[in-house]
Amino acid sequence: MTGAGLIKVSRRTTLQWLAAITAGSNMSITCSAMAQTASSQKGQLENAIARGYGTDPDLINPSVPWPRTLTPRQLRVIAVLADLVLPGTSTAPAPSVLGLQDFVDEWVSAPYPQQQTDRKVILEGLKWLEAQSQWRWAEGFLSATDAQRKELINLMVPKSSAEKGPPYIFFRRFRQVIAGAYFTTPEGAKDIGYIGNVPLPGYPMVTDRERIVLDEELRKLGIKAN
Amino acid sequence: MKELYDVIVVGSGAGGGTSAYVLTQAGLKVLMLEAGREYDPVRETPMFQTPSQAPLHGAPTPDKSGGFYDATVDGGHQIPEEPYAIADDSPVKFRWWRARMLGGRTNHWGRFSIRFGPYDFKPRRRDGLGVDWPISYEDLAPWYDKVERFIGVAGANEGLENTPVSPPGVLLPPFPFRAREYFLQRGLESMGISVAAAHLAILTQPHNGRPPCLYATPCLRGCSIGANFQSTTMLIPQARATGNLNVRTNALVYQVDLGKRGLASGVSFVDRKTGAHHSVRGKSVVLAASTVETARILLNSCTSAFPDGLANESGEVGRNLTDTIMVHTVGQFPALEKLGPRNDDGASIFHMYVPWWGYQSQARKQLDFPRGYHIEPHGKYTMPEMSEMGQYAEDCRAPYGAAFREEMRRKYGSYIYLSGRGEMIPNEKTFVDLHPTLKDKWGIPAPRFHWQWGESELQQAAHQQRTYLEIIDRLGGRFVPEQSVGVDTPLPTGVHETGTARMGFADKDSVVNQYGQSWSVKNLFVMDGSVFASHPRSPTLTIIALAWRNSEYLVDQARRRNL
């Protein structure tokens, strides 16, 4: 965690802040707090009765059998964060427009080991964001400005692949889940360039134009045309 | 169950399905026993469903470890009620893939259907390792022809070394190479390596009343229109239509029963739903439960006459177990970023493959490993999947925002996966036996895997890796180690197990003869991949061809009352 200069806060604000971040957690405001184990998270892993879809689910009419578990506030933070990772464009909607915060809820509420691991990482990450925002600006993440939010995200971006501690784990995993979720939607798939999954009478062969492009690239690599 | 069938067929996949088809066509009364449930691809295949319609957008989970839409039912690397063990001293933790469904693994396989070549049937004669098959390529060729005609295989005849040609008019038109495959072809040819059209059990034109491929849905989901090969659309319905086939599902066979004169009298199974035990009677028994399951049944069928397991006078049951050597190497190719969107789904699998090109080098003693491998390249605009897109995100330099989106879009379609399929030499340390204490839910001893890669396998894996890195470099690409598997990480397993009831020339070192017939119990046949004497490449077409030929032999022998 880089020092951005302590900001004076009122005692009242400090108490509010402490109440917010310690609810259900023993986390303090330092980065190392994210290394705490899931024991502090037990209260939120109340999925003992949640079931997966089993080894023989209906593939024609799929459904999700486990309940979602995130709070409205957590969903709003995820929506904001997701839209920062993949801002909408004139032709492609932002993740929150597609409701992908609900997908993240589905993901971290799923009773499978990978998703449960991701749950710990992501919920800890959300807490870290909140605590950082409070500590720096005496405001929650949702009240922070766009520039302030970007400042926090930049803290989470690993500077090299060697960086493995939190909050880098959170950022990398969150980005993977959001990118995966986004580009597997019809809108996201179209944006990335996928135009398949339609029945065709034949395979569309390599066009002359494609061949010209590839032959030129191959020529640059020292591979001459026949 | 009192009825006496002509043949009990255990298993409903490539071997069992083929056997049931041939036997019922010939008028024999067959009972087919399948451990999994009834399954109908026509009703059950999700043909156009998209990832975002599925839980977790289709991401793999322990329930569906091939992805949500993968056809596998009640299967995967672990079946909770049916554990298996890895021996304590086994350096490799073999991961065993099973499906519990009618049609078995033919429902979700890749449809790559390649013949073994003349070299592959006489490997010992060529390099002194392993054993020869008791048949030659010429002995099996008529059945390769028959099977290709029947199931419909698209491909071409390039006439490369040890790559047999099919007779004129047998193969259907090949799938044209994709743009990325053309790119790869040019790079390989500049390295002196020839490519070939993949032989795929997928129709490129109408065939025997079946429609051609729609060039959309991934074959691993199955196919509701019957445009590719799976036992549940190509063999079992046709066998049922003869009126000679009974199918019982949820029937887990654990023992071949012996009757008078040391002949098989039938099998015993447990109903997986009720736990009740049943025995059924047949004049002959065909085991096609898949390599490890068949070995398990034989080993579990001990009698005073067969204390080490039925048909195991040679001691080879469970031995000579092999799998395919697979190294996956991923490259990202800036040159491919220049291409624009196109519909690349095609046959879902590769249209082009690279047959083994190293025979001459081996003859000149320039290689440090025997046998060889072929390359299956994957490169196209695939339907985006959760794990794939997540990996691309990890490979982006831009951390987030518009630059991140731009980089994802730019690099999509620029990755090529080079995936090898190589030949393993059977070794003493790799086999399956029965665990002394671990049992499944119904008290049947669990299989125990002993697995060690030999020097030849590790040398070959290293050659695969070196070759793929050279290809990537040649084409201006960047190696992506995080997505690559098999050199610094364990070699994957559980794709193509074979060998546990190998065929041979005599009973002293083989379990069955060239017809898959037990040396000692002449009405007991094996018709799955366990009969393979060597394992050069993808086994499915050869399992079908052998099952066809050997079922015809069974019919002939039954008519002559030799069984």
Side-chain angles (χ1 to χ4, degrees):
Chain A
M1 188 180 89
T2 58
L6 287 172
I7 297 168
K8 285 201 180 305
V9 296
S10 70
R11 176 176 161 74
R12 181 162 173 269
T13 306
T14 306
L15 287 172
Q16 283 176 336
W17 151 49
L18 275 171
I21 65 165
T22 57
S25 150
N26 295 323
M27 204 176 99
S28 67
I29 62 164
T30 59
C31 286
S32 63
M34 284 193 58
Q36 281 193 9
T37 63
S39 56
S40 65
Q41 296 300 307
K42 271 215 177 83
Q44 287 180 280
L45 284 170
E46 289 290 330
N47 279 337
I49 57 164
R51 296 172 153 279
Y53 47 64
T55 55
D56 192 9
D58 183 345
L59 305 185
I60 306 293
N61 299 299
S63 63
V64 179
W66 57 84
R68 296 192 186 155
T69 56
L70 296 184
T71 66
R73 187 183 173 81
Q74 287 170 321
L75 290 172
R76 282 200 292 277
V77 173
I78 288 169
V80 167
L81 207 52
D83 286 359
L84 283 166
V85 171
L86 275 170
T89 68
S90 56
T91 51
S96 67
V97 172
L98 299 177
L100 292 182
Q101 58 274 24
D102 294 328
F103 175 79
V104 177
D105 194 352
E106 178 182 314
W107 187 271
V108 302
S109 304
Y112 299 113
Q114 177 64 59
Q115 282 71 25
Q116 290 293 291
T117 301
D118 290 341
R119 180 190 186 86
K120 291 175 204 139
V121 167
I122 288 176
L123 294 192
E124 289 281 4
L126 297 181
K127 285 199 158 73
W128 183 89
L129 276 176
E130 188 64 16
Q132 281 293 311
S133 190
Q134 290 284 358
W135 178 70
R136 287 162 191 280
W137 305 297
E139 283 184 333
F141 182 78
L142 288 174
S143 311
T145 66
D146 211 48
Q148 288 169 331
R149 290 168 180 172
K150 286 219 170 103
E151 195 177 322
L152 288 184
I153 292 195
N154 289 335
L155 287 176
M156 297 196 299
V157 173
K159 306 300 170 284
S160 79
S161 60
E163 292 188 295
K164 302 232 181 302
Y168 312 121
I169 290 178
F170 165 61
F171 173 76
R172 285 177 61 194
R173 195 63 191 135
F174 185 84
R175 186 177 73 158
Q176 274 187 298
V177 173
I178 279 297
Y182 185 84
F183 291 112
T184 48
T185 61
E187 297 85 350
K190 179 160 168 266
D191 184 55
I192 208 169
Y194 178 69
I195 57 173
N197 199 39
V198 292
L200 295 175
Y203 176 72
M205 296 180 51
V206 180
T207 62
D208 290 338
R209 206 191 138 270
E210 286 170 323
R211 211 176 282 269
I212 287 169
V213 168
L214 288 175
D215 284 350
E216 174 57 18
E217 293 302 312
L218 288 162
R219 191 194 60 78
K220 286 192 241 173
L221 291 166
I223 299 170
K224 305 263 186 306
N226 295 329
Chain B
M1 294 168 73
K2 294 277 188 293
E3 196 174 341
L4 174 65
Y5 294 92
D6 289 321
V7 188
I8 311 279
V9 173
V10 180
S12 63
T18 300
S19 185
Y21 175 80
V22 173
L23 297 172
T24 52
Q25 295 292 312
L28 271 60
K29 300 290 187 203
V30 174
L31 173 65
M32 171 188 272
L33 298 171
E34 161 56 46
R37 70 160 171 85
E38 269 284 353
Y39 174 75
D40 179 10
V42 175
R43 282 187 303 105
E44 300 192 54
T45 306
M47 290 297 279
F48 291 97
Q49 278 77 354
T50 58
S52 61
Q53 293 172 293
L56 307 176
H57 284 197
T61 63
D63 281 340
K64 293 300 292 281
S65 49
F68 183 81
Y69 288 124
D70 171 59
T72 305
V73 169
D74 292 335
H77 286 123
Q78 294 295 335
I79 299 176
E81 307 160 318
E82 305 187 52
Y84 57 97
I86 312 294
D88 293 332
D89 61 351
S90 179
V92 174
K93 306 284 172 264
F94 187 82
R95 296 179 77 217
W96 186 28
W97 183 276
R98 287 168 288 176
R100 282 282 180 250
M101 62 198 301
L102 190 69
R105 289 187 283 186
T106 66
N107 293 304
H108 64 75
W109 71 304
R111 278 72 183 175
F112 182 59
S113 305
I114 202 75
R115 299 187 181 207
F116 292 178
Y119 296 0
D120 302 315
F121 290 92
K122 305 297 172 190
R124 184 179 182 82
R125 189 181 302 170
R126 297 191 77 241
D127 62 17
L129 299 170
V131 298
D132 288 335
W133 294 64
I135 54 173
S136 66
Y137 171 75
E138 286 68 35
D139 292 324
L140 195 56
W143 281 272
Y144 277 138
D145 297 347
K146 194 180 279 201
V147 170
E148 285 177 354
R149 283 201 172 91
F150 179 73
I151 70 177
V153 175
N157 290 317
E158 291 87 359
L160 298 169
E161 188 169 1
N162 197 42
T163 311
V165 299
S166 304
V170 170
L171 293 177
L172 303 178
F175 287 83
F177 291 178
R178 298 187 172 90
R180 285 144 187 81
E181 292 161 348
Y182 166 73
F183 175 72
L184 200 50
Q185 171 186 20
R186 293 283 307 283
L188 287 162
E189 286 174 352
S190 80
M191 293 164 64
I193 299 173
S194 299
V195 305
H199 287 213
L200 303 178
I202 304 171
L203 305 181
T204 46
Q205 63 189 29
H207 187 72
N208 295 345
R210 295 156 56 204
C213 181
L214 290 175
Y215 305 92
T217 305
C219 294
L220 59 77
R221 298 188 185 191
C223 184
S224 70
I225 66 169
N228 66 31
F229 171 82
Q230 57 200 103
S231 181
T232 31
T233 50
M234 285 294 318
L235 299 168
I236 297 174
Q238 293 75 3
R240 277 174 150 147
T242 63
N244 295 324
L245 179 66
N246 267 290
V247 178
R248 177 147 177 171
T249 53
N250 294 310
L252 179 63
V253 172
Y254 57 84
Q255 179 176 287
V256 175
D257 302 322
L258 287 188
K260 297 195 282 275
R261 294 178 287 125
L263 290 174
S265 63
V267 302
S268 292
F269 66 88
V270 62
D271 185 309
R272 288 173 75 248
K273 293 296 168 205
T274 66
H277 289 251
H278 300 276
S279 295
V280 286
R281 303 194 307 129
K283 296 180 191 166
S284 293
V285 172
V286 169
L287 292 181
S290 84
T291 290
V292 175
E293 305 266 26
T294 286
R296 182 191 189 203
I297 293 169
L298 290 173
L299 292 171
N300 196 46
S301 305
C302 292
T303 65
S304 50
F306 296 101
D308 298 319
L310 191 60
N312 197 18
E313 56 275 19
S314 64
E316 300 293 345
V317 173
R319 301 218 152 251
N320 310 301
L321 177 62
T322 58
D323 197 349
T324 298
I325 305 169
M326 298 184 289
V327 175
H328 305 299
T329 306
V330 180
Q332 193 268 328
F333 297 86
L336 297 177
E337 296 171 15
K338 309 289 192 301
L339 294 172
R342 59 141 43 235
N343 187 330
D344 239 354
D345 289 345
S348 77
I349 200 177
F350 47 93
H351 295 178
M352 178 191 90
Y353 86 112
V354 188
W356 175 234
W357 65 96
Y359 294 110
Q360 297 303 313
S361 300
Q362 254 154 6
R364 291 191 293 264
K365 309 259 186 281
Q366 290 168 334
L367 295 179
D368 58 3
F369 62 94
R371 314 289 163 84
Y373 59 93
H374 69 263
I375 310 176
E376 300 183 359
H378 297 263
K380 61 187 175 101
Y381 287 124
T382 58
M383 179 187 284
E385 302 276 1
M386 273 300 289
S387 39
E388 184 194 24
M389 291 296 123
Q391 285 178 327
Y392 290 174
E394 280 282 274
D395 195 45
C396 279
R397 298 166 79 94
Y400 64 91
F404 171 60
R405 182 192 284 271
E406 187 278 332
E407 192 173 349
M408 289 287 287
R409 296 178 71 212
R410 178 167 53 83
K411 283 174 162 172
Y412 170 67
S414 71
Y415 293 86
I416 293 182
Y417 300 70
L418 297 168
S419 194
R421 299 285 184 273
E423 179 166 5
M424 173 181 177
I425 314 289
N427 67 57
E428 283 289 305
K429 299 255 179 28
T430 302
F431 60 96
V432 66
D433 59 8
L434 297 182
H435 196 276
T437 54
L438 182 66
K439 299 185 195 308
D440 68 12
K441 178 180 169 183
W442 306 281
I444 307 165
R448 176 174 60 181
F449 290 87
H450 307 251
W451 198 283
Q452 184 162 302
W453 300 114
E455 265 310 294
S456 50
E457 284 74 57
L458 298 174
Q459 304 279 52
Q460 192 206 103
H463 187 274
Q464 286 195 28
Q465 176 78 312
R466 283 198 301 277
T467 302
Y468 307 154
L469 292 176
E470 195 184 328
I471 294 168
I472 292 170
D473 185 62
R474 176 70 135 201
L475 287 167
R478 172 180 55 91
F479 171 50
V480 187
E482 296 81 8
Q483 297 177 34
S484 304
V485 177
V487 176
D488 299 320
T489 56
L491 286 167
T493 61
V495 174
H496 299 144
E497 315 86 65
T498 63
T500 53
R502 75 174 179 197
M503 61 166 71
F505 296 91
D507 61 355
K508 67 171 171 38
D509 59 1
S510 64
V511 179
V512 298
N513 64 19
Q514 62 168 304
Y515 301 107
Q517 183 181 33
S518 158
W519 294 107
S520 47
V521 184
K522 67 178 180 179
N523 68 339
L524 173 64
F525 289 79
V526 181
M527 297 202 190
D528 55 23
S530 59
V531 303
F532 283 26
S534 73
H535 188 13
R537 64 191 61 86
S538 312
T540 311
L541 192 72
T542 303
I543 291 175
I544 300 170
L546 286 170
W548 200 303
R549 174 177 184 265
N550 298 343
S551 296
E552 287 182 359
Y553 173 81
L554 194 166
V555 170
D556 177 73
Q557 291 295 293
R559 288 197 178 127
R560 293 172 197 269
R561 303 183 183 282
N562 284 346
L563 302 175

